């Protein structure tokens, strides 16, 4: 996604929040929210569009288009600035708390004069919120939990935001004269779900040109440290970048060292010591003579430790060393292995692009098959009906095989009710090629009730995949509480796959849950849950998460040939 689109999306969403805080027109606030999503999901860079071009984007009217062009012309929007000025900064800080909406934030400020997160926490502990209209003990618990989520996230950012920045920097430094190799390392290379800072490694004989290039980038807001071996900057978005330059002969050792994790590196250094060797970022050396033994490639370093090359996504000291010694490292699933996406949306419900555009974009990715899974009717705001979904099915059948012979599957994302039931009756569900079922509401059921809810959904003979199973939103909403061991066992027994949702703010299931479910023999689907053509590219983050969970091609149903996938989707039904 083009970064200007993201900037506008954030600005329009903020304006929608500001309208809500000031108790402005709710319809106007929703219009700005809709426009924010539409621009964020637009496939081309909106900074190159004029008012007329912006108005061609669904949901973007004349007033919004003019604000967008004003932003790119001046770097600000006067209406947003004026609205900001009427709201205390503390209130704007409060609305960043997950679970606390704009209206409640303004109530807290007006009735209790609360204008900071610390003041809010103190008021909750003093039980001052309970007498306010719309608040109560449960609300207090939710707000405290939201504060805890914020504190847990700290300064860490989502994987896709870090990846965009890292790839831009690597591209810039790679063009610098004298660069032999350049790559990002650290937790980003290991595809962790959030990133604290970005490590970039360069192999070159001279470091000065690269240190100067980094500090001179337009995105550099502050130089934290500047040296011959390491330079650190802070970007205009507040992200720290650490650049290290190593001699070309040390590239492999440097990449292995700076990729981490710390626990994995301790294990490899321990193995080296036992062999009379010393491992550092500059190479593998004989401990007595100091002679360099290996350093040019990671494969060479691992081989001299009697280990196979270990994929970065496994380097967390979770058994990868032992598996490598035994020759039992898994052949991890890759993005190239994915034959199709099984969870996507169109503008028939809450997607941003028409069916035809989504199909064309999927075909351009080289998929063998592709599923359209718009929301079912119990998610009432999507206004789905039987007639609408049947009309979509007819159009999908018309398009089937017309784009690079890609086969189309007609599916739906069902809603799992509190009792475990789903939207449509069994005979209607029979007409779909694939049915996902997801929890979209009632997140606070008891552990027993939530477990029963998920188990009943898995036991439905038409439910093929449980979508974003824990419902978490990273840094915003904790996952639901269930007996996941019981759920995993039922998934394995019923032939119900679990989704690895590739949306960067979900990555659900997470790597640890994937590892647990895999032990039960569960199968998985790596899906994008794409709501626009742009977000089909988020597949890479789902694959990275799946790799961290040690998944292979055989574990993932959408790496299978269509015939094998269709057999799985029948879920044992004989009709």
């Amino acid at each position: 996604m083009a970064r200007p689109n993201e900037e506008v999306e954030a600005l329009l969403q903020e304006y929608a929040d500001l309208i809500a805080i000031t108790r402005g027109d709710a319809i106007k606030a929703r219009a700005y929210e809709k426009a924010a999503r539409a621009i964020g999901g637009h496939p081309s860079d909106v900074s190159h569009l004029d008012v007329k071009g912006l108005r061609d984007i669904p949901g973007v009217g004349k007033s919004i288009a003019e604000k967008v062009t004003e932003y790119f012309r001046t770097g600000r929007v006067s209406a947003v600035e004026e609205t900001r000025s009427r709201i205390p900064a503390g209130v704007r800080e409060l609305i960043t708390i997950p679970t606390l909406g704009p209206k409640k934030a303004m109530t807290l400020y007006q009735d209790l004069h609360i204008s900071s997160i610390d003041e809010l926490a103190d008021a909750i502990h003093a039980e001052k919120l309970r007498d306010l209209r719309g608040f109560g003990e449960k609300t207090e618990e939710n707000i405290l939990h939201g504060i805890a989520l914020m504190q847990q996230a700290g300064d860490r950012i989502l994987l896709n935001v870090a990846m965009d920045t890292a790839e831009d920097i690597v591209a810039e430094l790679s063009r610098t004269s004298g660069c032999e190799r350049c790559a990002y390392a650290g937790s980003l290379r290991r595809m962790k779900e959030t990133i604290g800072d970005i490590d970039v490694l360069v192999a070159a004989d001279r470091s000065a040109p690269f240190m100067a290039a980094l500090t001179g980038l337009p995105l550099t807001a502050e130089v934290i440290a500047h040296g011959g071996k390491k330079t650190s900057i802070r970007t205009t978005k507040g992200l720290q970048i650490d650049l290290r330059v190593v001699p070309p002969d040390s590239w492999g050792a440097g990449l292995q060292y700076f990729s981490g994790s710390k626990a994995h590196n301790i294990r490899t250094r321990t193995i080296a010591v036992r062999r009379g060797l010393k491992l550092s970022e500059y190479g593998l050396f004989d401990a007595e003579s100091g002679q360099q033994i290996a350093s040019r490639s990671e494969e060479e370093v691992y081989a001299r430790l009697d280990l196979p090359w270990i994929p970065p996504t496994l380097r967390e000291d979770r058994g990868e060393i032992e598996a490598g010694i035994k020759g039992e490292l898994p052949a991890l699933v890759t993005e190239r292995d994915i034959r199709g996406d099984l969870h996507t949306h169109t503008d028939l419900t809450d997607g941003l692009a028409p069916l035809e555009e989504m199909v064309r974009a999927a075909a351009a990715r080289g998929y063998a098959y592709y599923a359209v899974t718009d929301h079912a009717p119990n998610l009432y705001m999507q206004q789905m009906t039987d007639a609408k979904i049947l009309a979509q099915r007819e159009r999908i059948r018309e398009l089937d095989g017309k784009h690079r012979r890609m086969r189309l599957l007609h599916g739906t994302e069902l809603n799992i009710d509190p009792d475990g039931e789903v939207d449509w009756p069994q005979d209607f569900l029979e007409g779909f090629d694939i049915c996902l079922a997801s929890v979209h509401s009632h997140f606070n059921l008891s552990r027993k009730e939530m477990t029963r809810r998920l188990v009943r959904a898995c036991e439905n003979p038409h439910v093929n995949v449980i979508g974003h199973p824990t419902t978490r939103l990273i840094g915003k909403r904790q996952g639901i509480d269930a007996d996941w061991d019981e759920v995993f066992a039922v998934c394995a027994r019923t032939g119900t796959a679990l989704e690895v949702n590739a949306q960067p703010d979900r990555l659900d299931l997470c790597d640890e849950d994937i590892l647990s479910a895999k032990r039960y023999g569960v199968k998985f689907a790596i899906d994008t849950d794409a709501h626009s053509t742009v977000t089909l590219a988020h597949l890479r983050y789902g694959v990275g998460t799946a790799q961290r969970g040690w998944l292979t091609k055989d574990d993932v149903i959408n790496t299978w040939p269509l015939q094998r996938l269709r057999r799985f989707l029948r879920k044992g039904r004989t009709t």
Side-chain angles (χ1 to χ4, degrees):
M1 182 182 295
R3 196 162 288 111
N5 297 35
E6 295 174 345
E7 292 175 3
V8 173
E9 180 180 18
L11 182 69
L12 296 181
Q13 182 58 58
E14 180 192 0
Y15 192 42
D17 290 339
L18 294 174
I19 293 169
I21 290 174
T22 54
R23 292 178 167 82
D25 185 350
I27 294 176
K28 181 179 179 181
R30 285 196 295 272
Y32 275 91
E33 287 179 353
K34 184 177 180 181
R37 291 182 60 248
I39 289 175
H42 192 64
S44 60
D45 185 342
V46 297
S47 66
H48 301 310
L49 301 178
D50 58 12
V51 169
K52 183 177 182 300
L54 286 164
R55 293 191 66 182
D56 290 336
I57 300 174
V60 178
K62 182 174 182 290
S63 177
I64 294 174
E66 289 173 345
K67 288 181 176 65
V68 174
T69 57
E70 178 188 357
Y71 173 72
F72 287 121
R73 187 176 65 254
T74 68
R76 60 192 294 275
V77 175
S78 55
V80 177
E81 297 284 344
E82 189 276 330
T83 311
R84 279 178 184 156
S85 69
R86 292 191 280 120
I87 302 167
V91 178
R92 299 203 300 272
E93 179 185 6
L94 292 180
I95 67 171
T96 64
I97 301 172
T99 74
L100 183 64
K103 293 181 179 178
K104 278 188 166 62
M106 198 63 178
T107 297
L108 291 170
Y109 176 76
Q110 292 176 334
D111 293 2
L112 297 179
H113 308 293
I114 293 172
S115 60
S116 74
I117 293 174
D118 288 341
E119 288 176 358
L120 176 56
D122 290 342
I124 291 174
H125 291 307
E127 300 182 356
K128 293 182 179 179
L129 273 59
R130 299 183 183 186
D131 295 331
L132 295 179
R133 184 177 179 182
F135 289 79
E137 185 176 353
K138 190 63 177 179
T139 306
E140 290 178 338
E141 291 177 6
N142 290 338
I143 294 173
L144 282 176
H145 178 65
I147 294 172
L149 282 175
M150 284 186 65
Q151 293 170 339
Q152 182 180 352
D155 294 328
R156 300 183 71 83
I157 63 170
L158 295 178
L159 182 58
N160 63 316
V161 178
M163 188 68 76
D164 286 345
T165 301
E167 290 182 336
D168 285 349
I169 290 173
V170 167
E172 288 290 337
L173 296 181
S174 295
R175 288 192 284 268
T176 302
S177 178
C179 179
E180 294 200 12
R181 303 285 295 272
C182 183
Y184 55 81
S187 56
L188 181 58
R189 189 173 181 229
R190 303 198 314 277
M191 297 293 279
K192 291 200 69 172
E193 62 192 36
T194 60
I195 308 300
D197 51 47
I198 295 174
D199 294 292
V200 177
L201 190 67
V202 166
D205 290 319
R206 296 177 60 243
S207 65
F210 300 93
M211 305 310 186
L214 179 66
T215 58
L217 290 176
L219 58 72
T220 299
E222 175 190 4
V223 178
I224 301 170
H226 193 298
K229 295 181 179 179
K230 176 183 176 182
T231 291
S232 297
I233 66 159
R234 197 173 309 281
T235 71
T236 52
K237 298 289 183 67
L239 182 59
Q240 181 170 325
I241 314 294
D242 295 328
L243 170 64
R244 294 171 176 86
V245 178
V246 298
D249 283 349
S250 298
W251 171 258
L255 188 59
Q256 193 277 334
Y257 181 88
F258 290 115
S259 292
S261 65
K262 181 179 179 180
H264 177 85
N265 284 355
I266 289 172
R267 294 294 304 280
T268 54
R269 289 200 299 270
T270 299
I271 293 172
V273 170
R274 289 173 180 167
R275 285 163 171 73
L277 306 172
K278 180 182 178 181
L279 179 61
S280 73
E281 64 266 42
Y282 296 106
L284 186 63
F285 301 90
D286 183 281
E288 290 189 7
S289 67
Q291 179 184 356
Q292 189 180 73
I293 296 173
S295 63
R296 291 195 65 87
S297 71
E298 285 192 316
E299 289 82 357
E300 183 181 85
V301 171
Y302 279 108
R304 292 306 298 264
L305 297 176
D306 295 324
L307 289 168
W309 179 79
I310 298 177
T313 45
L314 295 186
R315 299 180 195 175
E316 300 290 350
D317 192 23
R318 295 194 289 205
E320 72 276 8
I321 298 292
E322 291 76 10
I325 291 171
K326 296 176 182 177
E328 296 176 354
L329 282 174
L332 296 177
V333 64
T334 68
E335 193 170 354
R336 292 188 301 274
D337 295 327
I338 304 297
R339 294 174 182 251
D341 200 330
L342 300 180
H343 183 181
T344 66
H345 297 274
T346 74
D347 63 357
L348 184 61
T349 54
D350 60 344
L352 301 173
L355 170 66
E356 290 78 7
E357 289 185 16
M358 294 298 289
V359 170
R360 280 196 299 270
R365 293 182 62 82
Y367 288 147
Y369 47 81
Y370 175 73
V372 177
T373 57
D374 276 313
H375 289 287
N378 285 0
L379 205 60
Y380 299 109
M381 71 284 291
Q382 306 306 338
Q383 301 181 332
M384 177 58 77
T385 65
D386 293 9
K388 285 181 180 180
I389 202 74
L390 292 175
Q392 183 187 66
R393 181 177 300 165
E394 183 176 349
R395 181 58 180 149
I396 284 174
R397 299 300 182 239
E398 292 172 357
L399 294 172
D400 187 23
K402 291 188 177 180
H403 291 278
R404 300 187 182 184
R405 299 184 179 179
M406 181 179 71
R407 301 306 305 272
L408 297 180
L409 304 178
H410 188 220
T412 182
E413 184 181 9
L414 302 165
N415 306 281
I416 305 175
D417 289 346
D419 60 1
E421 294 296 323
V422 296
D423 307 66
W424 276 300
Q426 298 292 319
D427 59 345
F428 196 84
L429 293 178
E430 186 67 32
F432 290 100
D433 298 311
I434 180 171
C435 294
L436 293 90
S438 308
V439 171
H440 290 115
S441 63
H442 299 85
F443 302 122
N444 296 319
L445 297 182
S446 70
R447 180 181 179 87
K448 183 178 180 180
E449 290 171 324
M450 192 66 76
T451 303
R452 183 171 60 246
R453 177 187 195 179
L454 291 168
V455 166
R456 289 197 67 185
C458 292
E459 290 176 338
N460 187 310
H462 292 94
V463 171
N464 306 118
V465 181
I466 302 297
H468 43 76
T470 75
T471 79
R472 74 166 183 169
L473 293 174
I474 298 172
K476 295 181 179 179
R477 184 173 71 209
Q478 190 175 33
I480 54 179
D481 184 21
D483 183 341
W484 290 105
D485 285 315
E486 182 176 347
V487 174
F488 297 156
V490 171
C491 285
R493 172 172 60 81
T494 60
T496 307
L498 289 171
E499 183 175 66
V500 180
N501 189 294
Q503 287 299 311
D505 63 345
R506 287 190 184 274
L507 300 181
D508 181 13
L509 289 173
C510 71
D511 55 353
E512 292 181 355
D513 287 336
I514 294 169
L515 281 164
S516 297
K518 179 179 168 70
R519 297 187 189 105
Y520 285 88
V522 174
K523 297 301 182 184
F524 302 83
I526 305 173
D527 302 321
T528 63
D529 192 2
H531 285 64
S532 68
T533 58
V534 172
T535 50
L536 288 170
H538 283 162
L539 181 71
R540 65 191 297 194
Y541 306 117
V543 170
T545 302
Q547 290 181 345
R548 289 178 59 81
W550 292 54
L551 295 190
T552 68
K553 283 175 58 176
D554 193 57
D555 297 316
V556 180
I557 64 173
N558 50 323
T559 69
W560 300 350
L562 182 58
Q563 186 176 6
R564 182 183 177 190
L565 174 64
R566 285 191 184 277
R567 287 198 301 269
F568 179 86
L569 297 178
R570 292 306 300 167
K571 204 175 179 181
R573 301 193 305 274
T574 57
T575 58

